[in-house]
Amino acid sequence: MLVAAIDPGKNIGYALVDGNGRLIENRVLPLAEIHALEFPVGAKIVVGDGTGSYAVQSILARRNLQVERVDERGTTLEGRELYFLDHRPPLPLRLLPRGLWWPSRSIDDYAAYAIALRYLRVLGISVQANR
């Protein structure tokens, strides 16, 4: 099973995740590029239901792609935690409380990863973030 998750908004986060919660591919792209985004055959496409979701769903519908909406409340914070699993800050910053760590780039792709993990959990699949 593959899940292609999209975090809509000003920047579009994209994450491709397998059925075990393993992140296969992730990136951040502008809305203008969503029409050219390639999805693996058979992948379930899920889109966060927040700001910008209608525009993303409209573009995908014009491509005759079926999408499922997923509640994205809190996925930005979850994405932040996922980002720091992959990108540990240097030692001086690690001494600060975790809430003071700040990503060095946009993390919309990790919010999409959080959306994919949430979708898998809704299906009843027990997953944890892993690479």
Side-chain angles (χ1 to χ4, degrees):
M1 167 184 239
L2 291 175
V3 177
I6 297 173
D7 176 45
K10 180 180 175 188
N11 293 313
I12 305 298
Y14 170 77
L16 182 63
V17 178
D18 71 14
N20 296 314
R22 186 173 66 90
L23 182 61
I24 299 169
E25 177 186 350
N26 60 311
R27 62 186 153 170
V28 178
L29 57 148
L31 180 61
E33 291 181 18
I34 196 82
H35 72 281
L37 189 59
E38 293 293 325
F39 298 97
V41 174
K44 181 66 179 176
I45 302 170
V46 297
V47 177
D49 65 355
T51 303
S53 66
Y54 179 76
V56 169
Q57 289 178 73
S58 295
I59 292 168
L60 297 177
R62 285 194 295 271
R63 294 176 55 190
N64 294 319
L65 296 170
Q66 299 293 318
V67 300
E68 191 164 329
R69 290 171 53 124
V70 174
D71 178 12
E72 71 167 280
R73 282 178 289 171
T75 55
T76 299
L77 291 176
E78 290 173 35
R80 191 168 184 256
E81 291 298 315
L82 293 168
Y83 172 85
F84 284 121
L85 288 176
D86 284 349
H87 303 90
R88 301 262 310 160
L91 185 56
L93 290 178
R94 282 194 304 234
L95 298 175
L96 295 172
R98 202 169 178 93
L100 295 177
W101 294 3
W102 200 256
S104 61
R105 65 168 184 82
S106 171
I107 59 163
D108 297 288
D109 53 340
Y110 281 91
Y113 185 21
I115 289 169
L117 293 175
R118 184 172 289 177
Y119 175 75
L120 289 169
R121 289 180 188 122
V122 165
L123 291 180
I125 300 170
S126 178
V127 292
Q128 290 185 356
N130 63 62
R131 265 248 192 232

